[in-house]
Amino acid sequence: MNRLYFGDNLQWLSDRKEFPDESVDLVYLDPPFNSNADYNVLFREPSGQVSQAQFHAFTDTWSWADAADTYHQFIDTCRNVAVVELMEALHSFLKHSPMMAYLAMMAPPLVELHRVLKSTGSLYLHCDPTASHYLRIALDEIFDAKNFRNEIVWKRSSSHADIKQGMRRCGRIHDVLLLYAKSDTAIWNPVFTPYDEDYVESMYRFVDDQGRRYREGDLTAARPGGDVSFEWRVKRRINSNERWISSKWE
Ligand SMILES: C[S@@+](CC[C@H](N)C(=O)[O-])C[C@H]1O[C@@H](n2cnc3c(N)ncnc32)[C@H](O)[C@@H]1O
């Protein structure tokens, strides 16, 4: 308990005395995203100004030259045949690409994390759309697709376009949290926290005739999954009952 492990995660995880099977309750993983960038820690002057001083925090660029040994060692030693077949399949079309090098770095610790998780445990993997689709396939194989729980979208900023930077696409504004359970006995504690007063004041500005606060929000489609035939629908009090009505009805 309360121990911080410094260094390569796979090296620590492979130590079965330190990390026996089924010994961990929860994993929150925030690895590099394969963003093809280097990250530095910038220092600030006492004035708060960003100083010239900085140091290299980590590199998130991956090359096959660095990953080939890790890949082949994984293929030769991993006992999960399905995962080995998947990595070989990915290798067959990603070839010696930086993405394959990245996946070769990610797969071994993910297999170990599955081993150390208790059957009541869960894993959150923080990534972004750069590699989330490949990581999801790998986790489907390592954890079994039936143990997939959520793809949580972490909206990092409100919409913005990178047109000024010459981008010919929409702004990229979200990260992804992939949630997998180890088994269907995984612990799930829904967390509800009361809104603080300021939040209620600022966000729920309207009060209905029964004194209940409410906020205005975007309209949903008529049916789950969307139904373009109707423009919108809202809840209305008809006599004493509340009912969903759609634009057509009105
Ligand atoms: C996205 S950053 C994590 C940021 C951090 N969670 C935060 O919120 O500030 C990814 C981190 O993974 C670390 N990392 C990369 N490869 C690793 C490895 N094999 N074992 C352990 N940590 C690694 C990098 O040094 C970097 O600090």
Side-chain angles (χ1 to χ4, degrees):
M1 290 295 274
N2 301 328
R3 190 174 289 180
L4 186 61
Y5 295 85
F6 182 78
D8 179 52
N9 51 21
L10 186 57
Q11 216 172 325
W12 280 112
L13 286 165
S14 310
D15 176 342
R16 291 180 179 232
K17 209 160 124 288
E18 196 67 35
F19 288 97
D21 295 3
E22 305 232 346
S23 57
V24 170
D25 295 296
L26 180 70
V27 172
Y28 182 92
L29 202 52
D30 183 14
F33 293 2
N34 191 22
S35 58
N36 197 23
D38 282 355
Y39 295 85
N40 295 343
V41 172
L42 307 177
F43 290 96
R44 281 188 181 281
E45 303 293 350
S47 63
Q49 291 291 317
V50 173
S51 98
Q52 290 309 312
Q54 54 182 290
F55 73 79
H56 173 67
F58 71 98
T59 292
D60 189 11
T61 52
W62 306 90
S63 76
W64 190 248
D66 302 331
D69 290 352
T70 308
Y71 171 79
H72 292 299
Q73 198 205 344
F74 178 70
I75 295 298
D76 298 343
T77 57
C78 178
R79 297 195 210 136
N80 186 327
V81 178
V83 176
V84 168
E85 286 168 359
L86 171 70
M87 291 299 281
E88 288 174 331
L90 288 170
H91 185 228
S92 67
F93 77 93
L94 289 172
K95 307 279 185 250
H96 296 170
S97 61
M99 181 59 82
M100 191 60 218
Y102 172 74
L103 296 171
M105 176 277 291
M106 287 297 293
L110 289 174
V111 168
E112 283 299 310
L113 287 165
H114 179 263
R115 174 185 67 78
V116 302
L117 258 184
K118 293 177 182 173
S119 57
T120 52
S122 296
L123 172 136
Y124 290 83
L125 171 57
H126 183 186
C127 52
D128 75 7
T130 310
S132 58
H133 49 309
Y134 292 121
L135 293 170
R136 171 110 189 252
I137 298 172
L139 288 170
D140 275 357
E141 208 50 75
I142 297 168
F143 280 76
D144 195 325
K146 73 176 174 25
N147 290 320
F148 167 72
R149 294 291 178 267
N150 289 103
E151 175 169 314
I152 302 162
V153 172
W154 177 346
K155 189 176 171 211
R156 287 187 284 110
S157 69
S158 54
S159 63
H160 68 88
D162 299 330
I163 293 167
K164 287 206 190 77
Q165 289 81 19
M167 293 301 172
R168 300 167 56 78
R169 57 163 169 73
C170 302
R172 292 177 175 161
I173 59 167
H174 80 278
D175 285 355
V176 172
L177 294 176
L178 297 173
L179 169 58
Y180 281 77
K182 176 76 180 271
S183 76
D184 53 19
T185 61
I187 294 170
W188 175 252
N189 296 319
V191 179
F192 296 108
T193 52
Y195 286 139
D196 65 37
E197 263 321 296
D198 299 348
Y199 179 83
V200 173
E201 293 281 332
S202 61
M203 299 305 284
Y204 291 82
R205 293 181 294 112
F206 306 98
V207 182
D208 71 7
D209 52 15
Q210 288 159 50
R212 293 174 304 175
R213 278 184 171 277
Y214 67 96
R215 59 185 282 178
E216 292 185 334
D218 59 0
L219 302 171
T220 58
R223 271 190 234 128
D227 178 336
V228 288
S229 63
F230 288 97
E231 277 175 17
W232 49 271
R233 69 182 186 157
V234 291
K235 259 196 179 164
R236 271 290 154 74
R237 182 168 290 284
I238 312 290
N239 309 328
S240 59
N241 308 324
E242 268 198 349
R243 277 186 35 217
W244 282 102
I245 59 164
S246 66
S247 62
K248 218 185 215 170
W249 193 85
E250 243 175 296

